[in-house]
Amino acid sequence: MVGVSDGQSSAQAPAAARTPIGRPLLSLALASMMDEVHAHSGAVYLLGREQPVLEMAVMAGLPRAFAAPWERVGLSAPIPVADAARERRLVWVGGEEEMARRYPRIAMVLPYPFALAAVPVATESTVYGAVFVTWPGGHPQELSDREREHLTAACGRLAVRLERAAEHSIPPHPETDLVASPLVGGMAGTLGTVEAARMVSRLPYGLVSLDLHGRIGFVNAAAAELLNVPVSRLLGTQLWASVPWLNDPVYEDRYRAALMSQHTASFVALRPPGEWLSFRLYPSTTGLSVRITRARAVAEMNRTAPPPDGTPTRLVTITQVLNLASALTEAVGVQDVVQLVADEIAPAVGSQALVLLGSRANRLRVLGHRGYRDASVVERFDGMPLTEPTPGTHVLRTGVPAFFESQEQLERLYPERGATPDGFAAWAYLPLIVQSRPVGTCVLSYAEPHPFPTEERAVMTSLAGLIAQALERALLYDAKHRLAHGLQEALLPHSLPSLPGIEAAARYVPATQGMDIGGDFYDLVRTQGMAAAVIGDVQGHNVTAAGLMGQVRTAVRAYTAVGQAPEEVMRSTNRLLLDLGADLFASCLYLRLDPARGRAVMSRAGHPPPLLRRPDGRVRVLDLAGGPLLGIDASAVYPTTEVAFAPGSLLVLYTDGLVESPGTDFEEALAGLGRRLADAGDQPLDELADSLVRPEHHRADGEERLDDIALLLLRAVG
C-alpha cells in the first residue's frame, strides 16, 4: 500500500493517533466507525503501491462475496469508493433509485434497497484509500450531520495512523473480515433452553438458521424432511450447496437481498418431481432465519425447475459479469473500450497492462493499449502482416486463446519474441469473436509469472466475448464517425478567403447526439468589390440534412456569382429547395458586405437575428425584417435591410444551437451572448470564436448538445 502525494508536507498526527499501531488496525477502525453510525456493513480500501487501483483490505457485516466485482477497482472507476478517493469528498447514495441513477453498474448487480456512504481516507497531503459503509433500506434519504461528522473524523484518524505506519515503513498487516462465525452446534446453544429447542423440533413447518455466509447452523426435523436431506448433511453447509434443486442463483439472490436490505424476502422452489415449497427469510445483522412450508397454491404454476443434476454458474461470477457487461455498454468508440477494459476488467483479473489488437488489409493493427511505460514496444507491432509468427497474430487468425504463465513458456513457442521484451512476465491472449468471426485480440499482461487455472481461463474467455461485442460496436461507430466528419468537412469551407477590409473566423460544432453531422452551414464569398456571407440551418443532424445543406450552400454561391441581389438570392434558393422536394426546411441569413462604404445589406429567412458590436463596444441585436423559412412558400419574398458596418464593427452570425437549449429562455440566452460579446469583443477573432462556442456558455455541465452550432464572425478593419 502506498499513498498518492500532492507534494505538500504531512499533517502532524493528533495526540489521539500517537498510540502504537496494532495489528487489526483496519478492522478495529471499521468496526468502530460502523458502530458509531449504526451501519450494517462496510469495507476499507487501500490504494495500490504502483497502480492507481483500490484494493479491498477488510470487509465487515456481510460476506466479501457481496462486493466481489469491486474487490479491486481502478481509481477512475465510476463507483462511490473510487469517486471518494479521487475527489477527496464524501459520497452519499440515499437509496435504490439514486443508486440506479448515479451508479447503474452497482444497481444492476445489487438491486436492493440500501443506503451507502463512501469517505476518503486521506491526510492533507496524501490519499491512502477509502471506506464505504451501508445501511438497510429503512435509513433516511439524507445522511445526518452527526453521521457525516463521525465518518469524516474516523476516516481522518485512520489516515493519520496509516501515515505513521508509512513513515516507519510498516505495511498494514493482512486482516480477517469481520463476519459472524457459523452457528454450527446443538439446538440448545442456538435457540436457548432445551425446552425451547424441543418446542421448535415439534413444529409442523421447517426452520433453518443461516449465518451471514449462508451456512446452516440449525435445522429442525420438519425442515430436513421437506428438503429431503438428512440433518447431518445440512449442518455447516450452504443451503443451496447441500440441496441440489436449490443450487440456482435466483434463490441465492433472495438470501443476498434479505441481508442487504434487512427486509423479509421469500421465494418458492420446485422440489422434484413435483412439489412446491415456500421459503420465507427473516434477516438480522447476524444471519437469517428461514421458514419452509409446502406451497400448494403454486402447484399449478408453469415454472421451469432448475435441472437437478445441473451446476449453475455461481452468483459471484454472475455479478462480476453483470458489472462488466454494464460497463462495456457505456463504450462508444474504440478508445472507450480500451479504457473500460483497463479500468474494469484488467484490475478484476489482476492484470497490470493490456493491448487491444485488430486487423485491416491482412495486417495487424494496435487499436489501443494501457499500462506500458514504453509505448513503442507495443506500437511496433502495428502494421505487421498477419502471417508473422507472433502470439497476437496467431490468436487473431485462429480464434483460439493462448495463455503463457512465464517468459520461458512464451519464448519456447515464439523464440523471436525474446527480442522484443515488454517488461512483463505472463500473458493471456484472448480472441474477440462475434458470430464466429474474430474482430480482434485482447492481450492481458502480468508483472509476475501467473498461473492460469482452468476456471480462470474459462472466466477470461467469457469476458472476452463481452469485450468482442463492445469492440465490434465501437469499430462500427468509429467508422461512421470518420465518414460523417469526412462528409461534413467536404460540405463546409476548408478555409475562409482573405478579403480586403474584413477579418473573418468561423466554427462548426456538431450535436452530441446522432452522427456528429448536420445541416448547419456558413460561407464567405468574394464578389466584385464586395463580399457575400451566408449562414443557415437545414432541419436535422443526419446525412439527409447534410446533403441538402451542401446543395443549398452551392446554390447560394452560384446565385451570388451571377450577380443577384440579396433578396433575389434568397428567392432563388427558396424555389430550388421546393423543386428538390426534400420535405425539409431551412433557415438562412444572407449578407452583402461593402467595407469600402461601411455598409452591409442583409436578407433573412426565419433565421435568428445577427448581433452587431459597434466600435464603442455596445452590442445591438439586429431584428431584421424577413420572410419565412426556405422551402415552405414558393411566392415568399425576403426584404432587405441596410446597416452601418464601420471599421471596428463586428457582426456575429450564428445558428440556433448556440443560444437554444432545453429549459433556457431564448431572449435570456441572446442577452447573455450580447454580454459576452460586449466584454470580449476586442479579442482576436479566433480566440473570440473559441470562447463563444465553449459548452459552459450554452448548456449545463454534462448535458447533451441536441443541435449543431455554426458561427461566423465578421469584423470591419480600416
Side-chain angles (χ1 to χ4, degrees):
M1 186 283 298
V2 67
V4 175
S5 174
D6 60 10
Q8 301 176 10
S9 62
S10 300
Q12 291 296 318
R18 294 174 187 162
T19 55
I21 299 171
R23 291 184 63 86
L25 166 64
L26 304 177
S27 302
L28 290 175
L30 179 60
S32 174
M33 200 180 311
M34 290 170 56
D35 185 59
E36 286 176 343
V37 297
H38 307 295
H40 138 255
S41 72
V44 178
Y45 285 79
L46 297 179
L47 202 56
R49 182 176 295 277
E50 296 181 357
Q51 290 183 297
V53 172
L54 290 167
E55 299 188 46
M56 185 185 291
V58 65
M59 186 166 180
L62 289 174
R64 186 173 289 227
F66 278 62
W70 310 287
E71 280 200 67
R72 192 170 186 269
V73 297
L75 194 58
S76 60
I79 67 171
V81 285
D83 286 352
R86 187 178 62 253
E87 300 172 12
R88 288 171 165 258
R89 65 180 178 88
L90 186 148
V91 176
W92 166 249
V93 183
E96 193 174 7
E97 291 184 6
E98 187 177 358
M99 184 69 77
R101 185 175 66 254
R102 294 174 55 192
Y103 300 101
R105 300 183 197 174
I106 295 178
M108 178 179 287
V109 178
L110 299 174
Y112 317 125
F114 67 96
L116 178 145
V119 191
V121 177
T123 61
E124 290 184 3
S125 61
T126 306
V127 176
Y128 292 95
V131 168
F132 80 74
V133 294
T134 70
W135 293 263
H139 189 280
Q141 286 290 317
E142 299 297 328
L143 188 67
S144 71
D145 291 341
R146 173 190 166 280
E147 290 169 330
R148 184 181 296 271
E149 291 168 3
H150 273 303
L151 290 173
T152 303
C155 287
R157 291 192 296 270
L158 178 57
V160 172
R161 299 289 298 279
L162 291 171
E163 182 180 55
R164 290 183 58 243
E167 289 172 352
H168 294 87
S169 300
I170 303 173
H173 298 281
E175 299 182 26
T176 304
D177 289 347
L178 301 176
V179 184
S181 301
L183 300 173
V184 179
M187 292 181 295
T190 302
L191 299 175
T193 67
V194 173
E195 186 55 39
R198 289 172 178 167
M199 178 191 71
V200 170
S201 68
R202 291 193 295 266
L203 291 174
Y205 48 80
L207 283 179
V208 178
S209 175
L210 307 180
D211 70 4
L212 293 176
H213 290 283
R215 294 175 297 209
I216 299 171
F218 167 79
V219 56
N220 69 356
E225 180 182 353
L226 288 168
L227 297 173
N228 199 25
V229 178
V231 171
S232 59
R233 282 176 46 194
L234 291 170
L235 288 174
T237 68
Q238 291 179 317
L239 186 61
W240 45 87
S242 298
V243 184
W245 44 273
L246 286 178
N247 192 8
D248 188 303
V250 172
Y251 305 142
E252 187 180 349
D253 181 62
R254 295 295 82 208
Y255 139 81
R256 293 162 60 87
L259 285 184
M260 282 294 297
S261 66
Q262 291 292 291
H263 292 169
T264 302
S266 61
F267 63 88
V268 292
L270 178 64
R271 188 189 73 181
E275 183 167 20
W276 289 93
L277 299 182
S278 171
F279 294 77
R280 193 159 183 82
L281 287 63
Y282 301 90
S284 74
T285 56
T286 59
L288 290 166
S289 296
V290 183
R291 183 176 184 268
I292 308 172
T293 59
R294 287 181 171 83
R296 298 181 180 85
V298 296
E300 297 179 1
M301 291 174 59
N302 292 322
R303 293 174 57 94
T304 302
D309 55 349
T311 307
T313 307
R314 300 307 304 140
L315 187 62
V316 170
T317 303
I318 287 177
T319 60
Q320 289 173 322
V321 171
L322 283 172
N323 180 59
L324 298 172
S326 174
L328 288 169
T329 59
E330 299 173 10
V332 178
V334 170
Q335 293 310 308
D336 292 336
V337 176
V338 174
Q339 192 61 52
L340 280 167
V341 173
D343 291 344
E344 304 288 342
I345 293 180
V349 298
S351 169
Q352 285 76 47
L354 71 99
V355 184
L356 276 190
L357 302 174
S359 65
R360 188 166 61 247
N362 290 319
R363 290 186 175 272
L364 194 68
R365 296 298 177 194
V366 177
L367 303 177
H369 56 83
R370 296 289 187 276
Y372 290 86
R373 294 180 180 176
D374 183 1
S376 64
V377 301
V378 176
E379 292 168 356
R380 63 181 144 190
F381 291 101
D382 193 64
M384 174 183 289
L386 292 181
T387 53
E388 287 289 317
T390 69
T393 56
H394 180 77
V395 171
L396 189 58
R397 287 196 318 269
T398 63
V400 178
F403 300 90
F404 303 96
E405 300 181 358
S406 65
Q407 178 83 19
E408 295 75 17
Q409 197 178 86
L410 177 65
E411 292 180 5
R412 193 179 309 127
L413 291 176
Y414 299 94
E416 65 284 351
R417 186 64 169 73
T420 58
D422 57 14
F424 291 95
W427 301 264
Y429 286 79
L430 307 173
L432 307 179
I433 300 173
V434 177
Q435 296 179 345
S436 303
R437 176 177 54 86
V439 296
T441 299
C442 177
V443 185
L444 297 171
S445 304
Y446 294 78
E448 303 292 337
H450 182 86
F452 296 97
T454 302
E455 183 179 350
E456 183 175 350
R457 295 186 184 204
V459 170
M460 293 173 74
T461 304
S462 298
L463 294 177
L466 298 176
I467 301 171
Q469 297 284 345
L471 180 61
E472 184 183 47
R473 291 193 303 270
L475 289 169
L476 180 60
Y477 173 84
D478 283 353
K480 288 183 177 180
H481 191 73
R482 289 192 298 270
L483 175 63
H485 274 271
L487 178 59
Q488 192 81 53
E489 289 175 2
L491 294 174
L492 291 173
H494 293 289
S495 61
L496 298 177
S498 178
L499 301 174
I502 296 175
E503 287 182 353
R507 295 292 184 271
Y508 172 78
V509 183
T512 53
Q513 294 183 354
M515 287 188 63
D516 284 0
I517 187 171
D520 290 24
F521 66 96
Y522 60 86
D523 207 352
L524 184 62
V525 184
R526 185 192 301 271
T527 63
Q528 294 181 352
M530 291 188 289
V534 64
I535 192 164
D537 182 2
V538 177
Q539 281 178 299
H541 39 87
N542 51 37
V543 173
T544 302
L548 188 61
M549 172 267 283
Q551 292 175 298
V552 171
R553 177 175 164 250
T554 301
V556 171
R557 267 187 167 261
Y559 297 138
T560 300
V562 299
Q564 288 190 356
E567 63 271 23
E568 284 300 320
V569 171
M570 297 292 272
R571 280 201 295 266
S572 298
T573 306
N574 179 47
R575 287 193 295 269
L576 172 68
L577 205 57
L578 286 163
D579 291 342
L580 290 173
D583 295 326
L584 293 177
F585 309 135
S587 69
C588 190
L589 177 64
Y590 182 85
L591 292 77
R592 190 67 57 84
L593 303 169
D594 187 352
R597 293 179 54 240
R599 309 300 293 172
V601 179
M602 309 182 189
S603 183
R604 184 161 71 110
H607 199 80
L611 273 66
L612 175 65
R613 186 181 190 271
R614 296 170 175 168
D616 60 6
R618 290 184 297 170
V619 175
R620 174 188 169 198
V621 177
L622 301 179
D623 194 8
L624 313 172
L629 293 169
L630 302 177
I632 293 179
D633 181 4
S635 62
V637 295
Y638 299 92
T640 58
T641 303
E642 184 175 295
V643 298
F645 191 50
S649 299
L650 174 64
L651 276 168
V652 178
L653 318 180
Y654 57 91
T655 56
D656 53 13
L658 185 68
V659 291
E660 289 186 353
S661 61
T664 301
D665 180 77
F666 176 80
E667 297 297 333
E668 291 181 3
L670 193 59
L673 177 61
R675 287 192 293 272
R676 295 197 300 275
L677 188 60
D679 294 339
D682 292 326
Q683 289 182 330
L685 283 194
D686 282 324
E687 293 181 17
L688 178 60
D690 289 336
S691 171
L692 293 179
V693 298
R694 283 190 192 124
E696 62 266 24
H697 292 321
H698 49 85
R699 61 191 174 101
D701 184 37
E703 181 184 330
E704 293 283 335
R705 185 172 52 252
L706 302 179
D707 203 357
D708 313 316
I709 296 172
L711 175 70
L712 181 59
L713 304 179
L714 303 168
R715 177 181 282 157
V717 294

